[in-house]
Amino acid sequence: FQISMKRTFNLLLLVVALSIIASCRHDKQNKQSGTSQMFRFEEFTIDQLQQGYRNGDFTVAEVVQAYLDRIKAIDDSGPMLNAVIQVNPDALVIAAELDRELKEGKARGPMHGVPVLLKDNIDTHDGMETTAGSRALRGSHPPKDSFVAQKLREAGAVIIGKSNLSEWANFRGNLSSSGWSGVGGQTKNPYILDRNPCGSSSGSGVAVSANLCMAAVGTETNGSIVCPSTANGIVGIKPTVGLLSRSGIVPISFTQDTPGPMARTVRDAAIMLGTMTGIDPDDSKTAASEGKALNDYTPFLKE
C-alpha cells in the first residue's frame, strides 16, 4: 500500500511538472505570436507609409525602429528565420535626417523613409560589410556604394540591413543548399520553417514576406529573384539585363546578372524598380537602356 501511494505521489508530481513545462512553452509561443500581432506596420504598402508620413501619424525614426525591433524579435530569436545577416548601425541616424527633411517639406519621393534590405552581395559604403555570405569576405568594407544602393539612398530609402543568401549567390558548389551561407546560416521559409525558402535571394524574399522590411533588393542570374518570390508568397521582378546597373555587385555572369526589386505588392515592386534605373558608366550594359528606361512604372499598372 505504501509503495502504491508513493508511486501515485510521484506520478502526480510528474503530471504537475509536465503541466508547468507545457504552460511555459505556451506562454513563450503566445509572446512570439503577440510580437507578430502587435507589429504596427504589418503588410503596410509604400503608399500607406507615405500617407502616414503626410498625416503625421508616425515618423521615419519610429518606422525604422519598429522594423529593427521586428528583426530582433522574429529573425534573431523566436522562429530564428536567419533572413538578415546584419543591420545598419546608422539606420536611425539616417531616419532622423529624413524626418528633418519632411519637417522642412522636402519629401524625396515615394521611397522616402521606406525601410529596405539589400542582398549581401550588393556593396554599401557604410558601417556594414559586404560578404556574399562567405567567411572569406568577412570584414570586407567596399570603398563606395553600389549603383543601386546609391540610387536608393538618393530616393530617401533607409537601407536598414543586409539579407542572407545562398553563399556566393548559389555558385559555390554542386550540392549547395538554397538559403544557406557560412556567415548567415540557413534561411528559413516563414510559412513552414523546415521548407525550402529558395535561393539565392532567399533572405530578401523571406524578409519581405515576414515584414522584416517593406521591400528588398535581390539579384538573379538564373531564377534567384523569381524563385524565392514564389516560395515566400511575394512579388519579384527580374528586369531586362542592363535596365539596372550591376556595378558594386559580386558578379557571376556578365550576360545574365541583374538586381531587381522584391516587395509584397506589384505596385510596391514597380515603385522600387523605377527608383533604381539609370545609365551607369561602370556597367556598359546600362547604355542600351538609354531612352527606354523610366523613373516611374506605376502609370502602366492595371488592376
Side-chain angles (χ1 to χ4, degrees):
F1 176 77
Q2 288 179 344
I3 293 173
S4 178
M5 285 294 290
K6 187 175 181 180
R7 285 177 176 170
T8 302
F9 181 70
N10 288 340
L11 181 60
L12 286 171
L13 285 177
L14 179 61
V15 170
V16 170
L18 290 173
S19 297
I20 292 171
I21 291 169
S23 177
C24 289
R25 286 178 177 169
H26 183 67
D27 288 345
K28 184 179 180 181
Q29 289 171 354
N30 281 344
K31 285 178 182 177
Q32 291 171 359
S33 176
T35 300
S36 174
Q37 291 170 5
M38 288 187 294
F39 183 57
R40 182 178 181 183
F41 304 104
E42 188 163 0
E43 298 299 293
F44 253 52
T45 65
I46 290 174
D47 288 340
Q48 286 177 299
L49 190 72
Q50 298 306 331
Q51 186 62 52
Y53 287 149
R54 287 191 292 270
N55 295 343
D57 296 336
F58 38 75
T59 65
V60 179
E62 288 172 340
V63 170
V64 169
Q65 185 64 66
Y67 276 96
L68 293 176
D69 291 344
R70 174 81 166 174
I71 290 169
K72 187 175 181 180
I74 70 170
D75 195 67
D76 297 342
S77 58
M80 293 186 68
L81 297 175
N82 287 341
V84 181
I85 281 185
Q86 55 190 316
V87 296
N88 188 349
D90 302 318
L92 290 172
V93 174
I94 296 167
E97 172 61 23
L98 292 169
D99 275 327
R100 184 187 64 77
E101 291 180 14
L102 285 178
K103 286 180 181 178
E104 296 173 356
K106 300 176 183 176
R108 300 190 192 184
M111 290 298 293
H112 193 109
V114 176
V116 170
L117 284 167
L118 302 186
K119 186 177 178 179
D120 197 28
N121 61 344
I122 302 174
D123 287 351
T124 57
H125 181 58
D126 50 24
M128 295 187 289
E129 304 171 355
T130 300
T131 70
S134 173
R135 293 172 183 151
L137 290 183
R138 268 274 171 84
S140 171
H141 291 273
K144 66 177 184 177
D145 275 341
S146 59
F147 187 82
V148 293
Q150 176 189 330
K151 296 289 285 185
L152 287 167
R153 291 193 206 274
E154 290 171 355
V158 185
I159 300 172
I160 61 172
K162 296 289 193 72
S163 55
N164 200 8
L165 66 157
S166 305
E167 190 171 315
W168 296 113
N170 233 3
F171 275 75
R172 60 178 294 273
N174 292 329
L175 298 175
S176 60
S177 170
S178 285
W180 182 90
S181 75
V183 174
Q186 179 64 54
T187 305
K188 300 174 185 175
N189 190 305
Y191 288 99
I192 309 177
L193 296 176
D194 64 352
R195 301 300 174 90
N196 188 0
C198 206
S200 68
S201 305
S202 48
S204 296
V206 169
V208 170
S209 182
N211 287 263
L212 305 181
C213 59
M214 186 154 285
V217 180
T219 65
E220 175 162 332
T221 302
N222 180 25
S224 290
I225 289 174
V226 296
C227 184
S229 296
T230 299
N232 296 286
I234 64 165
V235 177
I237 298 175
K238 191 267 186 181
T240 302
V241 173
L243 181 62
L244 304 184
S245 169
R246 292 89 53 85
S247 66
I249 299 176
V250 178
I252 295 172
S253 167
F254 181 71
T255 57
Q256 288 181 251
D257 291 353
T258 180
M262 301 173 75
R264 285 187 294 276
T265 69
V266 175
R267 182 174 177 82
D268 282 2
I271 290 171
M272 196 176 185
L273 177 67
T275 299
M276 297 186 288
T277 60
I279 307 299
D280 179 10
D282 291 331
D283 183 358
S284 59
K285 283 285 187 182
T286 62
S289 71
E290 188 170 7
K292 303 183 182 73
L294 300 174
N295 298 126
D296 183 8
Y297 288 91
T298 59
F300 302 99
L301 294 171
K302 297 179 181 179
E303 290 187 5

